[in-house]
Amino acid sequence: MPFETIVLAHDGALSTLTINRPKALNALNAQVIRELDQALGEVRARKETRALIVTGGGEKAFVAGADIAEMAGLTKEQALAFAAEGQRVLASLEALKVPTIAAVNGFALGGGCELALACDFIIASEKAKLGLPEVSLAVIPGFGGTQRLTRLLGKAMAKQLIFTGDAIDAAKALQLGLVNEVVAPDALLARAAELGKKIATRGPIAVAQAKKAIEQGFDLSLEKGCELERHAFVDLFGTADQKEGMKAFLEKRAASFTGQ
Ligand code: CAA
């Protein structure tokens, strides 16, 4: 499906979704959110995809937030619908079975930071700036930022960042654990692709079950989380990939997985 604000490209097992509205620093207006939702549907339906990179078009921004011009005149009812839709679409990104990597190439502010937080992990360019500046507009994050940032960094650091609205640079984000790696700007997409392609060589059902165990287990007690892990572990036995993975090891050759 052709999009106006999204570019969705596929390279074998790796798909790349670029938010592409650079004149507005890729701000998330209703059209971007709608097209993001559709593009995620395409990724879900594409059997070959085993990892997804999310990035921003242009030189300056990953995504500079929800579109302030569109938000400025919202009524309470419209604001509720806007937040609910943004949260729903980011939840569907988070729920993709395949791993997702945010390649943050510049400003990731407000809804842009929330988009990156809905990915499994973030790789940042040295030029990246991340933050939740909503209180400077006298609102708060509405696409899951108060929840996902707090779960990732803990309450005190999330409060400092959200109450001040300060954006942090890539080095600080690395120190806090908000991003996993920082690379030179021109190496960003290559590094994200390298990670995506490596993940794509692993057992795809196993990677999906690992993601499920981490995501669903995170809010459970350790005991319940381990129970969930046990079931996910057992489900993998008897798959063709499990047989192939272990056989290939014993035969001292590389495994070839089919996702069965
Ligand atoms: N919404 C709408 N338009 C935006 C935008 C946004 N979030 N961010 C940038 N733009 C537009 C600017 O209005 C400008 O458009 P014009 O050329 O038509 O004037 C264009 O993008 C370029 O931006 P700047 O001229 O401002 O670029 P800069 O380099 O001087 O500054 C910036 C860059 C610091 C990122 C600055 O643009 C900025 O502060 N943007 C807003 C960041 C923000 O507050 N984000 C949070 C939004 S609220 C939110 O996201 C709520 C939620 O949780 C759902």
Side-chain angles (χ1 to χ4, degrees):
M1 181 186 296
F3 299 113
E4 286 174 13
T5 64
I6 302 268
V7 178
L8 181 60
H10 307 291
D11 173 15
L14 188 65
S15 295
T16 301
L17 189 159
T18 305
I19 310 287
N20 195 37
R21 201 187 160 218
K23 282 193 183 136
L25 303 189
N26 305 321
L28 304 173
N29 63 9
Q31 182 182 10
V32 179
I33 292 168
R34 190 172 58 248
E35 292 190 350
L36 174 60
D37 191 29
Q38 291 163 354
L40 291 173
E42 285 192 24
V43 171
R44 246 189 319 274
R46 186 174 181 269
K47 295 236 172 334
E48 302 92 312
T49 297
R50 292 190 183 174
L52 174 70
I53 295 172
V54 178
T55 193
E59 293 296 304
K60 273 176 75 171
F62 175 72
V63 166
D67 191 300
I68 299 168
E70 247 190 37
M71 275 187 303
L74 295 185
T75 63
K76 278 183 185 293
E77 288 72 22
Q78 289 166 332
L80 176 62
F82 184 67
E85 185 59 3
Q87 289 183 353
R88 184 188 69 75
V89 174
L90 294 197
S92 88
L93 167 62
E94 188 171 57
L96 281 182
K97 285 190 177 157
V98 297
T100 55
I101 304 170
V104 171
N105 51 311
F107 292 111
L109 302 176
C113 188
E114 293 170 300
L115 174 67
L117 284 166
C119 294
D120 289 315
F121 55 86
I122 304 173
I123 306 295
S125 127
E126 287 160 350
K127 284 190 348 196
K129 290 256 190 312
L130 302 101
L132 292 171
E134 284 88 345
V135 292
S136 62
L137 301 165
V139 293
I140 66 167
F143 289 175
T146 59
Q147 305 306 305
R148 291 195 179 94
L149 189 72
T150 306
R151 282 165 173 73
L152 188 62
L153 302 187
K155 277 205 282 189
M157 188 49 71
K159 283 175 178 171
Q160 181 176 333
L161 291 174
I162 292 170
F163 296 172
T164 62
D166 282 345
I168 55 174
D169 64 18
K172 181 74 181 173
L174 181 65
Q175 185 205 330
L176 295 180
L178 174 54
V179 309
N180 283 11
E181 291 181 21
V182 177
V183 297
D186 58 7
L188 177 67
L189 285 179
R191 177 59 183 150
E194 183 184 17
L195 287 166
K197 284 181 178 167
K198 176 180 280 189
I199 290 167
T201 67
R202 309 313 195 204
I205 316 174
V207 173
Q209 290 285 59
K211 178 167 171 170
K212 186 175 110 179
I214 294 167
E215 282 296 330
Q216 294 185 6
F218 192 77
D219 293 322
L220 301 178
S221 66
L222 181 61
E223 192 189 351
K224 288 280 174 209
C226 285
E227 187 184 330
L228 180 81
E229 181 189 80
R230 224 158 46 233
H231 289 301
F233 179 75
V234 168
D235 280 351
L236 293 159
F237 280 79
T239 63
D241 281 350
Q242 176 257 327
K243 292 192 194 329
E244 163 64 8
M246 295 191 181
K247 192 161 176 273
F249 175 82
L250 296 172
E251 292 172 357
K252 302 190 187 306
R253 61 174 174 81
S256 171
F257 296 120
T258 59
Q260 307 286 308

